[in-house]
Amino acid sequence: MVNIERHFETHTVENQPVPLAPYNYWANDPLLKQAVRESGVSAPPDILDKFGAIAGAKLAEAGEHANKNKPVFNPFDRYGRRINSVTFHPSYHELMAESMKANVHNYSWQNYQQPGAHVIRAALLFMQCQADAGTTCPLTMTHAAYPALKQGSALPAYWVDKLVHGSYDPRELPAKDKHGITLGMGMTEKQGGSDVRTNTTTATKQADGSYSIVGHKFFFSAPMSDAHLILAQAEGGLSCFLLPRIREDGSLNKVQIQRLKDKLGDWSNASSEVEFTGANAFLVGNEGRGIAVILDMVSLTRLDCMIGSTAIMRQALVQATYHVTHRAAFGKPLIEQPLMQNVLADMTLEWSAHLALTMRVAQAIDTAPNNAQEAAFARIATAIGKYWVCKRAPVLINEAQECLGGIGYVEENILPRLYRQAPLNSIWEGSGNVQCLDVLRALVKEPSTKTALFSVLAQAKGKNTHYDQFLTSLSSQFEDMNNLEIRSRLITEHTALALQAALLLTHYDPKLAASFCETRLGHQHGHTFGTLPAHTPFEHIITLGQLTK
């Protein structure tokens, strides 16, 4: 046990761990490495190890500073000119620069011909998000914007080029003059939220082919991005547009930031409300096809919601395991106490299943362009995973806090920040109801998604009795068309559990998989963590999730 005594006038500080030292988020995470291999990457590139070392040390420290120093909105300069500027702490820029240097925002597109490009990029984002989830937002949107930008036939080529090949450049210049760009999103309005068809923002075509945008966005993420993809009503219907922040002549576009959101978490990053007063924008795709253009982007951002939730759960588990390893109670280390072992093993089961599903979806997105069945699987599994994985983050992170006791509630360590961050991904890019309705929509409109889903599930048949019984029940739930919408949350949850079990059974540790099936599918489990059966191989499961030396 790491235990350094400190002497004060009134007492000696003992039986307290020293803070967890920096570590390599890749080299010291055996389950992450296995998940990448099982998702089709037999020879992980060196960038994963290099970035893991940076993320676990330099960026982890920068994440602390960036979250303690929130962005500041500066609507005017000292002379009263409207500048719509947001000032970030230097640590924010450090996080962005190092992450973009490691291609967190564009690895998939630079290496699109390489098998496993999306899986490798998912692992990069998984590590980046553990250091700071706030900067994950602009990195995610920049990455996901690529398929949409490719549909912008009227866009100058530099937009795509600077996304795919650019480096971080925070200078306030037109995009054409920068080393690289970041992109944000502005989809929702006050009156509609997820129901974007009710958007009232208008787009009027100009003589030069561009559009004038008038209206508002209630959530305008990362307002200092070089451009945003927005939805607005054009003559042909709801359409997608690229709206630059600074025009090619160097003038500010007519986008007025009203205020920054005072958010529960995500403190290092800025989110805003804006009004468009004749802002200049460029059509992406065709008029009336805005939602179709955005769908490819949404599938990627939803995967990133899964990655982000899995990442912060990982970091919470690391912190909890480290603490109980180096603190004793009732005569022996906490990690040797039977009930604490139950809790840790249970959290490890949960997190490993989320990691397996997340990386499997990344693999499906990788192979989708050349495999119709994988494309169909990605279509439905993304919504299923986004619903379930993101829902589970707050409860697991709260349990990790409890492992530390009162210290887990104090802002001097990372757990309160992770807990504030935890609900975000279940809300962003479509809340739980939206995901479940999307699952139903896929089943009805694209029958191939059900075929692809059950093809994956069938691969684990015969490997576990609990699984086989659960799969039979799940098939019956899919066949029952009565009250399908009102049952969609339960069906989606059951499908997510079945997918996780199938992946664990076919690719991961047998004892881990068996315990997952017995507890999650066989109902030998309570409603809280730490309720695994007494015969569970606790120490074995805990070891699977521990950091390697």
Side-chain angles (χ1 to χ4, degrees), residues 186-202 214-219 231-233 238 261 273-276:
M187 303 297 166
T188 59
E189 299 179 2
K190 296 181 180 74
Q191 73 282 351
S194 295
D195 187 6
V196 294
R197 294 185 188 279
T198 66
N199 282 8
T200 60
T201 295
T202 60
V214 176
H216 82 283
K217 294 297 171 186
F218 199 41
F219 282 89
L231 292 175
Q233 302 286 356
L238 190 64
K261 296 289 192 182
E273 298 173 21
V274 299
E275 290 186 355
F276 309 126

Side-chain angles (χ1 to χ4, degrees), residues 138-409:
L139 293 167
T140 283
M141 293 185 295
T142 302
H143 174 260
Y146 175 78
L149 291 188
K150 290 289 285 184
Q151 299 182 56
S153 57
L155 291 178
Y158 65 75
W159 285 104
V160 172
D161 179 66
K162 290 177 183 292
L163 187 157
V164 175
H165 302 292
S167 57
Y168 183 58
D169 187 348
R171 295 178 299 166
E172 296 199 8
L173 296 172
K176 66 182 180 64
D177 298 327
K178 300 185 71 169
H179 301 310
I181 60 170
T182 58
L183 295 177
M185 296 169 62
M187 303 297 166
T188 59
E189 299 179 2
K190 296 181 180 74
Q191 73 282 351
S194 295
D195 187 6
V196 294
R197 294 185 188 279
T198 66
N199 282 8
T200 60
T201 295
T202 60
T204 304
K205 193 170 184 178
Q206 306 298 294
D208 63 357
S210 67
Y211 287 73
S212 175
I213 309 296
V214 176
H216 82 283
K217 294 297 171 186
F218 199 41
F219 282 89
F220 198 69
S221 299
M224 299 310 291
S225 299
D226 295 291
H228 285 74
L229 286 171
I230 69 162
L231 292 175
Q233 302 286 356
E235 184 177 354
L238 190 64
S239 307
C240 181
F241 298 89
L242 179 76
L243 191 150
R245 179 170 177 269
I246 300 177
R247 303 178 64 178
E248 287 192 348
D249 63 6
S251 63
L252 283 177
N253 209 348
K254 294 182 179 180
V255 180
Q256 293 194 357
I257 300 174
Q258 302 303 303
R259 61 174 176 171
L260 299 186
K261 296 289 192 182
D262 188 6
K263 300 171 292 185
L264 170 66
D266 207 52
W267 286 355
S268 63
N269 180 46
S271 303
S272 64
E273 298 173 21
V274 299
E275 290 186 355
F276 309 126
T277 58
N280 185 241
F282 303 94
L283 181 66
V284 179
N286 297 319
E287 283 194 6
R289 298 286 295 166
I291 293 178
V293 171
I294 288 300
L295 280 180
D296 284 340
M297 185 177 185
V298 166
S299 68
L300 293 171
T301 52
R302 286 178 176 176
L303 168 61
D304 283 6
C305 287
M306 296 172 63
I307 296 168
S309 292
T310 306
I312 61 176
M313 283 190 272
R314 173 52 173 166
Q315 189 54 221
L317 178 61
V318 166
Q319 297 291 331
T321 304
Y322 174 80
H323 180 85
V324 301
T325 300
H326 300 291
R327 183 168 170 83
F330 311 112
K332 57 183 176 181
L334 281 172
I335 198 168
E336 296 178 10
Q337 304 284 355
L339 193 52
M340 182 59 76
Q341 288 184 338
N342 199 325
V343 171
L344 289 176
D346 210 352
M347 289 195 295
T348 303
L349 271 182
E350 180 93 13
W351 168 72
S352 59
H354 295 319
L355 179 65
L357 178 55
T358 297
M359 288 302 182
R360 179 63 180 87
V361 172
Q363 181 185 13
I365 290 175
D366 252 324
T367 54
N370 302 309
N371 188 316
Q373 182 161 299
E374 282 293 280
F377 177 73
R379 168 74 179 88
I380 193 167
T382 301
I384 292 168
K386 199 275 187 186
Y387 171 77
W388 183 239
V389 174
C390 299
K391 281 287 184 189
R392 298 299 293 167
V395 65
L396 187 146
I397 293 171
N398 179 239
E399 193 68 56
Q401 288 181 291
E402 194 170 322
C403 291
L404 275 68
I407 295 175
Y409 197 68

